[in-house]
Amino acid sequence: MQEQTITIRQQILEAKGNGQKLLAVLLDPDKILLENVAHLIQKINESPATHIFVGGSIVQNNILEELILILKQKTTLPVVLFPGDPSQISPKADAILFLSLLSGRNPDYLIEYQVQAAPILKRTNLEVISTGYILIESGNETAVARVSKTKPLSRENLDLVLATAQAGQMLGNQLIYLEAGSGAKQPVPLEMIKLISQNIEIPIIVGGGIADLKGIQKAYNAGADLVVIGTAFENNSHFFDL
Ligand code: 1GP
């Protein structure tokens, strides 16, 4: 019998259906040294992480391919690209979050980069997961806002964030990513996660500024299906140790 492979998107959907919460560790190739990767992977393998995201707003060094090769050798966790632009596509990963920056009004991040990326992606076996990406104001200017030249949505304007997430779902996005930005002072407000999760059906990713294990749990309790941890793990590889 032929082995049935289940896609990463299906796994996320099934987890949501079963109430199982997911956790991604984000590795930004610009912020890690290749010589530390073995140790980081060991810590990730010992942690509750279910996914590894790789990417950043700007990736300037060229270790992306090598990083992914090492990850594929040393972990069985799915490696998902979380790219800032089409230069960050590696065919060696398992999947890519195909992002549209729905909170902004910069056409480059709404459609231009996607048009540039499509023919590149067609030449790979990457699973493409369309993701509505919504940047929320978080107390400081984040790299995403700076690089994309867009404004985040106000933390107070829950109606606008909800309408944006709903539009993302109606446009056919398969996931919604509520992002406070890497190293954000304030994570996405819990009442916002709650409202969105109660009013859309697709899984919700939440990331940015989550600094401790309690913060992860709070995001889950509010309705996040998958939480992303980047900076806190970058700063302390023992972050997940009990
Ligand atoms: C950033 O959501 C991710 O795009 C993770 O943010 O680095 O603040 O954990 P942190």
Side-chain angles (χ1 to χ4, degrees):
M1 220 171 70
Q2 215 188 343
E3 202 186 316
Q4 282 262 300
T5 47
I6 165 164
T7 65
I8 292 167
R9 180 172 86 93
Q10 282 166 337
Q11 282 166 1
I12 296 173
L13 278 174
E14 273 183 23
K16 182 178 172 65
N18 299 331
Q20 185 210 340
K21 299 296 183 180
L22 303 172
L23 178 69
V25 173
L26 171 64
L27 298 178
D28 181 338
D30 269 346
K31 295 188 185 155
I32 54 176
L33 296 172
L34 275 181
E35 60 252 40
N36 294 340
V37 172
H39 167 71
L40 294 179
I41 299 175
Q42 189 198 334
K43 297 308 288 180
I44 294 171
N45 282 336
E46 291 164 5
S47 81
T50 54
H51 295 75
I52 299 177
F53 286 2
V54 177
S57 296
I58 353 168
V59 172
Q60 283 166 328
N61 63 22
N62 46 13
I63 65 164
L64 182 75
E65 293 278 324
E66 210 172 334
L67 170 62
I68 292 173
L69 277 181
I70 303 173
L71 288 171
K72 293 302 297 172
Q73 282 163 9
K74 294 189 184 291
T75 178
T76 55
L77 294 178
V79 176
V80 180
L81 297 172
F82 174 50
D85 64 58
S87 70
Q88 295 174 39
I89 297 174
S90 162
K92 309 265 178 354
D94 297 301
I96 180 167
L97 297 184
F98 196 57
L99 303 164
S100 332
L101 182 56
L102 300 178
S103 50
R105 295 295 178 268
N106 180 344
D108 285 349
Y109 289 84
L110 285 164
I111 185 63
E112 173 61 27
Y113 284 144
Q114 293 80 350
V115 171
Q116 290 179 18
I120 304 172
L121 291 172
K122 284 301 274 187
R123 295 194 292 270
T124 72
N125 289 320
L126 288 167
E127 179 188 338
V128 177
I129 308 174
S130 70
T131 303
Y133 189 57
I134 304 178
L135 183 62
I136 309 296
E137 178 198 0
S138 61
N140 46 334
E141 195 195 47
T142 57
V144 185
R146 193 173 59 249
V147 172
S148 67
K149 301 190 181 69
T150 65
K151 276 199 248 154
L153 298 185
S154 156
R155 302 174 70 77
E156 318 299 330
N157 198 340
L158 295 182
D159 288 346
L160 180 59
V161 178
L162 175 58
T164 305
Q166 286 174 326
Q169 174 168 311
M170 289 174 193
L171 279 166
N173 283 290
Q174 297 162 322
L175 302 173
I176 287 292
Y177 193 140
L178 296 176
E179 170 73 279
S182 192
K185 270 193 191 153
Q186 297 172 286
V188 175
L190 297 174
E191 69 270 28
M192 189 179 281
I193 302 172
K194 191 166 173 216
L195 180 75
I196 308 302
S197 70
Q198 286 171 346
N199 288 283
I200 65 171
E201 287 71 44
I202 53 179
I204 299 177
I205 301 178
V206 175
I210 297 178
D212 52 29
L213 300 179
K214 270 193 206 144
I216 300 176
Q217 197 52 52
K218 283 186 196 162
Y220 286 152
N221 293 346
D225 298 296
L226 186 155
V227 166
V228 184
I229 294 293
T231 306
F233 180 72
E234 254 161 39
N235 292 343
N236 173 16
S237 63
H238 296 276
F239 177 78
F240 296 108
D241 295 358
L242 290 176

